Amino acid sequence: IYRETIDKIVEAIREHHRFLIVTHIKPDGDAVGSLLGLSFLLRRLGKSVTACTQDPIPTTLEFLAGSESISHEVPQPYLYDVAILVDCGDFPRVGSSFAEAVGRVPFLINIDHHYGNVPFGDICWVNASASSTCEMLYHLSSALSVPLDREIATHLYTGLLTDTGSFRFGNTNQKVLEIAADLVGAGAEPAHIAQQIFDSASPQRLKLLARVLSSVAFHADARLATAELSLKMFDETGTSSMDSDGFINQLRSVKSVEMAMVFRESAEGLVHISMRSKGKVDVATFAQTYGGGGHRQAAAFRSSGDLQTVRAKFTEEARNYLMVNSKGSTV
Ligand code: 5GP
Ligand code: MN
Ligand code: MN
């Protein structure tokens, strides 16, 4: 069903020369994997490519080939024929300092897999049933007839690995594992990639995790778990929000927990609320109510206010949501 859209993208790529590739703020494995994977694919076709993202690349993803060449400067729109946004659920997720410039590139292509995405772009390819943007780019590489090499295979495998929670989440299926196997055949090394991403943290990160875990509270018969990350915790452990990636999965690891929330305080006076679920609970719909979004089982939104007030308010909202939405279903 996406054949026509993919054909249009292939045509736009063939017809143009100067490409800007952009991904979302606070880039994760799928964001960086798809940013670099697509950049390398286009360079193999002889295109001129700039890969950029507003926020820094997490240190655990610095092993990816080309990560050092990703620009964090606001792009100059007149230098490009086409901008391709990858893994970027909503246009504003390119970041407040990038949005205006990216929006002025004459032709916009949106390649993404977020559910509830507000459509944008001259070509909009959003496949919410894809595990990751990297899975979509795997198909694009074959449509472009670019053979996978070790570097591109490593980029794309990284997105599959991280967006499926190491091939554990509900988006893991036969198709995903077959693509992963093909990427391994093309040179991606699963043990090496997993070690870089999951076993390369700093000692300070573990200290931070200890504090977050001591803030855990359970609600609604332990079906809801909440925790917080305060500026004080970051300060005392010498860490930043980049060190807290994945902490929320610890909350979901508890058998009874169907919904997990982590409230993260930011210097701008905003609280970032990360949500994860398991079973039938849809956190994307909850996050959308408050101006955020994401996937059924991983979503986020932001709220102004102080940490304790925001935590109390949305814990209560989540408790109610959980009660209403699980009626009659056994999760
Ligand atoms: P995280 O908890 O890691 O910040 O976000 C969880 C998921 O929700 C990620 O897949 C992220 O891309 C998505 N997400 C976070 N904030 C927003 C938002 O404001 N809008 C949309 N559409 N997705 C978001
Ligand atoms: Mn992402
Ligand atoms: Mn993704």
Side-chain angles (χ1 to χ4, degrees):
I1 51 164
Y2 294 107
R3 195 74 255 164
E4 265 176 42
T5 312
I6 297 175
D7 289 345
K8 275 195 216 155
I9 294 176
V10 169
E11 196 185 309
I13 290 173
R14 298 220 184 279
E15 279 175 359
H16 294 96
H17 184 63
R18 303 173 308 163
F19 291 83
L20 179 70
I21 323 280
V22 197
T23 191
H24 62 77
I25 47 172
K26 287 202 77 238
D28 53 24
D30 190 34
V32 180
S34 53
L35 180 68
L36 291 171
L38 182 57
S39 302
F40 277 52
L41 284 172
L42 295 187
R43 288 199 189 107
R44 300 277 188 273
L45 292 168
K47 306 295 177 180
S48 154
V49 182
T50 299
C52 72
T53 177
Q54 182 184 294
D55 291 347
I57 304 302
T59 53
T60 53
L61 295 170
E62 281 174 353
F63 76 100
L64 291 171
S67 71
E68 69 294 338
S69 68
I70 295 172
S71 164
H72 303 287
E73 315 248 297
V74 177
Q76 303 284 334
Y78 57 85
L79 293 179
Y80 307 101
D81 308 316
V82 178
I84 308 181
L85 275 69
V86 289
D87 200 44
C88 202
D90 286 313
F91 185 77
R93 289 203 18 99
V94 296
S96 53
S97 66
F98 269 36
E100 206 228 317
V102 173
R104 287 194 354 240
V105 177
F107 198 86
L108 231 59
I109 300 177
N110 169 8
I111 303 179
D112 185 46
H113 69 120
H114 289 82
Y115 152 97
N117 188 309
V118 179
F120 68 86
D122 299 288
I123 304 176
C124 180
W125 178 27
V126 174
N127 178 1
S129 62
S131 65
S132 52
T133 301
C134 282
E135 174 180 338
M136 298 170 72
L137 294 180
Y138 170 87
H139 296 297
L140 184 64
S141 76
S142 76
L144 286 166
S145 310
V146 179
L148 295 169
D149 58 27
R150 190 178 56 79
E151 289 176 332
I152 296 174
T154 302
H155 295 142
L156 300 185
Y157 183 93
T158 295
L160 261 65
L161 178 71
T162 56
D163 265 19
T164 59
S166 303
F167 305 108
R168 292 184 302 130
F169 297 161
N171 57 359
T172 309
N173 54 36
Q174 180 180 357
K175 191 183 59 177
V176 169
L177 294 171
E178 280 169 358
I179 293 172
D182 202 30
L183 294 171
V184 173
E189 295 176 52
H192 173 71
I193 297 170
Q195 184 183 331
Q196 296 296 321
I197 296 173
F198 301 116
D199 297 328
S200 299
S202 64
Q204 296 90 302
R205 178 182 147 99
L206 207 63
K207 295 280 189 192
L208 181 65
L209 177 61
R211 286 172 205 237
V212 174
L213 293 180
S214 69
S215 80
V216 169
F218 294 99
H219 319 267
D221 299 325
R223 293 167 65 209
L224 172 64
T226 63
E228 68 190 50
L229 274 155
S230 64
L231 288 173
K232 187 162 171 263
M233 291 178 189
F234 289 122
D235 200 41
E236 287 175 353
T237 53
T239 52
S240 71
S241 64
M242 274 170 56
D243 294 294
S244 64
D245 253 23
F247 283 0
I248 192 168
N249 297 321
Q250 303 278 344
L251 275 61
R252 185 166 53 179
S253 74
V254 173
K255 186 171 184 178
S256 60
V257 170
E258 295 166 34
M259 195 191 228
M261 299 175 102
V262 170
F263 297 84
R264 191 182 75 234
E265 188 178 24
S266 80
E268 298 84 46
L270 277 182
V271 179
H272 178 102
I273 299 109
S274 284
M275 303 188 71
R276 301 291 185 270
S277 68
K278 69 182 179 233
K280 296 199 169 111
V281 179
D282 170 9
V283 288
T285 304
F286 185 93
Q288 274 169 6
T289 313
Y290 303 104
H295 311 272
R296 286 182 68 83
Q297 307 207 309
F301 64 99
R302 283 138 293 271
S303 169
S304 57
D306 77 280
L307 185 60
Q308 295 316 324
T309 313
V310 171
R311 182 174 178 180
K313 175 178 177 213
F314 290 104
T315 297
E316 194 50 34
E317 298 289 341
R319 186 210 297 271
N320 294 335
Y321 182 82
L322 200 54
M323 294 306 174
V324 172
N325 285 279
S326 60
K327 252 183 215 146
S329 70
T330 42
V331 185

